[in-house]
Short mmCIF file of all heavy atoms in Angstrom, two decimals:
data_model
loop_
_atom_site.label_atom_id
_atom_site.label_comp_id
_atom_site.label_asym_id
_atom_site.label_seq_id
_atom_site.Cartn_x
_atom_site.Cartn_y
_atom_site.Cartn_z
N ILE A 2 63.19 247.37 -93.33
CA ILE A 2 63.95 246.23 -92.82
C ILE A 2 64.99 246.75 -91.83
O ILE A 2 65.73 247.64 -92.14
CB ILE A 2 64.66 245.49 -94.00
CG1 ILE A 2 63.73 245.13 -95.11
CG2 ILE A 2 65.44 244.26 -93.49
CD1 ILE A 2 62.64 244.13 -94.66
N VAL A 3 65.05 246.12 -90.65
CA VAL A 3 65.92 246.38 -89.60
C VAL A 3 66.55 245.16 -89.14
O VAL A 3 65.91 244.14 -88.79
CB VAL A 3 65.27 247.18 -88.44
CG1 VAL A 3 66.33 247.57 -87.42
CG2 VAL A 3 64.54 248.43 -88.93
N GLY A 4 67.97 245.12 -89.02
CA GLY A 4 68.65 244.04 -88.57
C GLY A 4 69.75 244.33 -87.60
O GLY A 4 70.37 245.45 -87.70
N ASP A 5 69.97 243.42 -86.63
CA ASP A 5 71.20 243.56 -85.73
C ASP A 5 71.58 242.19 -85.35
O ASP A 5 71.16 241.13 -85.98
CB ASP A 5 70.88 244.46 -84.50
CG ASP A 5 69.67 244.04 -83.72
OD1 ASP A 5 69.32 242.84 -83.77
OD2 ASP A 5 69.05 244.81 -82.95
N ALA A 6 72.38 242.02 -84.28
CA ALA A 6 72.91 240.68 -83.93
C ALA A 6 71.76 239.72 -83.61
O ALA A 6 71.98 238.53 -83.62
CB ALA A 6 73.83 240.89 -82.77
N ASP A 7 70.59 240.30 -83.16
CA ASP A 7 69.46 239.39 -82.83
C ASP A 7 68.73 238.83 -84.06
O ASP A 7 68.06 237.87 -83.91
CB ASP A 7 68.41 240.16 -81.92
CG ASP A 7 68.94 240.28 -80.53
OD1 ASP A 7 69.90 239.61 -80.15
OD2 ASP A 7 68.28 241.05 -79.72
N GLY A 8 68.88 239.48 -85.16
CA GLY A 8 68.19 239.03 -86.32
C GLY A 8 67.59 240.20 -87.13
O GLY A 8 67.92 241.31 -86.96
N VAL A 9 66.68 239.86 -88.04
CA VAL A 9 66.03 240.85 -88.97
C VAL A 9 64.56 240.86 -88.79
O VAL A 9 63.96 239.81 -88.70
CB VAL A 9 66.40 240.39 -90.37
CG1 VAL A 9 65.81 241.46 -91.36
CG2 VAL A 9 68.00 240.37 -90.62
N ILE A 10 63.95 242.08 -88.70
CA ILE A 10 62.49 242.18 -88.62
C ILE A 10 62.03 243.10 -89.75
O ILE A 10 62.77 243.85 -90.36
CB ILE A 10 62.04 242.82 -87.27
CG1 ILE A 10 62.57 244.23 -87.04
CG2 ILE A 10 62.39 241.87 -86.15
CD1 ILE A 10 62.01 244.89 -85.89
N VAL A 11 60.74 242.93 -90.10
CA VAL A 11 60.04 243.65 -91.15
C VAL A 11 59.01 244.59 -90.54
O VAL A 11 58.17 244.08 -89.77
CB VAL A 11 59.39 242.63 -92.08
CG1 VAL A 11 58.70 243.35 -93.27
CG2 VAL A 11 60.35 241.59 -92.57
N ILE A 12 59.07 245.87 -90.87
CA ILE A 12 58.02 246.83 -90.30
C ILE A 12 57.31 247.42 -91.45
O ILE A 12 57.90 247.96 -92.37
CB ILE A 12 58.79 247.87 -89.54
CG1 ILE A 12 59.77 247.30 -88.48
CG2 ILE A 12 57.78 248.85 -88.93
CD1 ILE A 12 60.62 248.38 -87.74
N PRO A 13 55.92 247.33 -91.49
CA PRO A 13 55.19 248.03 -92.48
C PRO A 13 55.50 249.46 -92.46
O PRO A 13 55.63 250.15 -91.40
CB PRO A 13 53.73 247.76 -92.02
CG PRO A 13 53.82 246.52 -91.25
CD PRO A 13 55.10 246.60 -90.50
N ALA A 14 55.64 250.07 -93.70
CA ALA A 14 56.10 251.48 -93.81
C ALA A 14 55.14 252.42 -93.13
O ALA A 14 55.62 253.50 -92.71
CB ALA A 14 56.37 251.82 -95.28
N ASP A 15 53.87 252.15 -93.18
CA ASP A 15 52.86 253.12 -92.63
C ASP A 15 52.83 253.19 -91.21
O ASP A 15 52.24 254.19 -90.69
CB ASP A 15 51.44 252.82 -93.18
CG ASP A 15 50.98 251.38 -92.80
OD1 ASP A 15 51.82 250.58 -92.36
OD2 ASP A 15 49.76 251.17 -92.91
N ILE A 16 53.52 252.36 -90.46
CA ILE A 16 53.54 252.49 -89.00
C ILE A 16 54.94 252.62 -88.46
O ILE A 16 55.07 252.63 -87.14
CB ILE A 16 52.83 251.28 -88.35
CG1 ILE A 16 53.51 249.94 -88.67
CG2 ILE A 16 51.29 251.24 -88.71
CD1 ILE A 16 52.99 248.82 -87.83
N VAL A 17 55.96 252.66 -89.30
CA VAL A 17 57.33 252.60 -88.83
C VAL A 17 57.70 253.81 -87.84
O VAL A 17 58.31 253.60 -86.81
CB VAL A 17 58.31 252.52 -90.01
CG1 VAL A 17 58.29 253.77 -90.81
CG2 VAL A 17 59.70 252.29 -89.44
N GLU A 18 57.09 254.95 -88.05
CA GLU A 18 57.43 256.10 -87.27
C GLU A 18 56.99 255.87 -85.85
O GLU A 18 57.71 256.07 -84.88
CB GLU A 18 56.86 257.37 -87.85
CG GLU A 18 57.41 258.64 -87.30
CD GLU A 18 58.60 259.18 -88.02
OE1 GLU A 18 58.56 259.32 -89.30
OE2 GLU A 18 59.60 259.48 -87.33
N GLU A 19 55.68 255.50 -85.69
CA GLU A 19 55.18 255.27 -84.32
C GLU A 19 55.82 254.17 -83.59
O GLU A 19 55.98 254.18 -82.39
CB GLU A 19 53.64 255.11 -84.38
CG GLU A 19 53.17 253.85 -85.16
CD GLU A 19 51.67 253.72 -85.16
OE1 GLU A 19 51.07 254.45 -85.94
OE2 GLU A 19 51.19 252.85 -84.50
N VAL A 20 56.15 253.11 -84.36
CA VAL A 20 56.79 251.88 -83.80
C VAL A 20 58.12 252.29 -83.21
O VAL A 20 58.44 251.90 -82.10
CB VAL A 20 56.86 250.73 -84.86
CG1 VAL A 20 57.86 249.67 -84.32
CG2 VAL A 20 55.48 250.17 -85.11
N VAL A 21 58.90 252.98 -84.06
CA VAL A 21 60.33 253.27 -83.56
C VAL A 21 60.27 254.30 -82.38
O VAL A 21 60.97 254.17 -81.42
CB VAL A 21 61.19 253.76 -84.70
CG1 VAL A 21 60.84 255.20 -85.17
CG2 VAL A 21 62.63 253.81 -84.27
N ASP A 22 59.31 255.23 -82.41
CA ASP A 22 59.20 256.19 -81.33
C ASP A 22 58.85 255.51 -80.01
O ASP A 22 59.46 255.71 -78.98
CB ASP A 22 58.19 257.24 -81.67
CG ASP A 22 58.65 258.30 -82.67
OD1 ASP A 22 59.86 258.31 -82.91
OD2 ASP A 22 57.81 259.00 -83.23
N ASP A 23 57.82 254.55 -80.10
CA ASP A 23 57.48 253.80 -78.96
C ASP A 23 58.59 252.91 -78.41
O ASP A 23 58.80 252.62 -77.22
CB ASP A 23 56.19 253.02 -79.20
CG ASP A 23 54.95 253.95 -79.31
OD1 ASP A 23 55.14 255.18 -78.98
OD2 ASP A 23 53.88 253.40 -79.69
N ALA A 24 59.39 252.31 -79.39
CA ALA A 24 60.39 251.38 -79.05
C ALA A 24 61.56 252.19 -78.28
O ALA A 24 62.12 251.75 -77.33
CB ALA A 24 61.03 250.78 -80.24
N LEU A 25 61.85 253.36 -78.78
CA LEU A 25 62.84 254.21 -78.04
C LEU A 25 62.39 254.62 -76.75
O LEU A 25 63.23 254.66 -75.79
CB LEU A 25 63.31 255.37 -78.93
CG LEU A 25 64.06 255.05 -80.30
CD1 LEU A 25 64.25 256.32 -81.18
CD2 LEU A 25 65.38 254.42 -79.93
N ALA A 26 61.07 255.03 -76.59
CA ALA A 26 60.59 255.31 -75.28
C ALA A 26 60.66 254.15 -74.33
O ALA A 26 61.08 254.35 -73.11
CB ALA A 26 59.16 255.86 -75.44
N GLN A 27 60.38 252.95 -74.85
CA GLN A 27 60.51 251.84 -73.99
C GLN A 27 61.93 251.52 -73.60
O GLN A 27 62.20 251.09 -72.45
CB GLN A 27 59.87 250.57 -74.72
CG GLN A 27 59.86 249.32 -73.90
CD GLN A 27 58.88 249.40 -72.66
OE1 GLN A 27 57.73 249.92 -72.86
NE2 GLN A 27 59.34 249.08 -71.45
N GLU A 28 62.83 251.78 -74.56
CA GLU A 28 64.31 251.53 -74.21
C GLU A 28 64.70 252.49 -73.13
O GLU A 28 65.55 252.21 -72.21
CB GLU A 28 65.11 251.83 -75.50
CG GLU A 28 65.11 250.70 -76.46
CD GLU A 28 65.67 249.38 -75.88
OE1 GLU A 28 66.90 249.44 -75.44
OE2 GLU A 28 64.93 248.39 -75.81
N GLU A 29 64.24 253.70 -73.18
CA GLU A 29 64.60 254.72 -72.08
C GLU A 29 64.02 254.23 -70.73
O GLU A 29 64.79 254.23 -69.67
CB GLU A 29 64.01 256.10 -72.46
CG GLU A 29 64.45 257.13 -71.44
CD GLU A 29 63.85 258.52 -71.74
OE1 GLU A 29 63.06 258.60 -72.72
OE2 GLU A 29 64.02 259.48 -71.03
N GLN A 30 62.87 253.76 -70.77
CA GLN A 30 62.29 253.23 -69.48
C GLN A 30 62.98 251.99 -68.99
O GLN A 30 63.30 251.91 -67.84
CB GLN A 30 60.76 252.84 -69.81
CG GLN A 30 60.08 252.21 -68.57
CD GLN A 30 58.66 251.97 -68.91
OE1 GLN A 30 57.86 252.82 -69.26
NE2 GLN A 30 58.25 250.68 -68.81
N ASP A 31 63.32 251.03 -69.92
CA ASP A 31 64.02 249.84 -69.50
C ASP A 31 65.42 250.19 -68.97
O ASP A 31 65.90 249.56 -67.97
CB ASP A 31 64.17 248.92 -70.63
CG ASP A 31 62.81 248.21 -71.08
OD1 ASP A 31 61.89 248.40 -70.28
OD2 ASP A 31 62.87 247.63 -72.11
#
C-alpha cells in the first residue's frame, strides 16, 4: 500500500520491485 497527497494505490507484492524501479526511472526521465 502506497499513499500520498494524490491518494492510495495497491501494488501486488510479487511485482512491487520492478514497478517501483520503473517508476523511479520514469521520474528521472520526466
Side-chain angles (χ1 to χ4, degrees):
I2 306 298
V3 182
D5 57 20
D7 282 349
V9 181
I10 60 169
V11 182
I12 308 175
D15 59 345
I16 62 170
V17 64
E18 194 91 50
E19 64 181 72
V20 167
V21 70
D22 285 345
D23 288 353
L25 290 175
Q27 185 64 51
E28 283 299 302
E29 182 181 4
Q30 176 179 301
D31 289 349

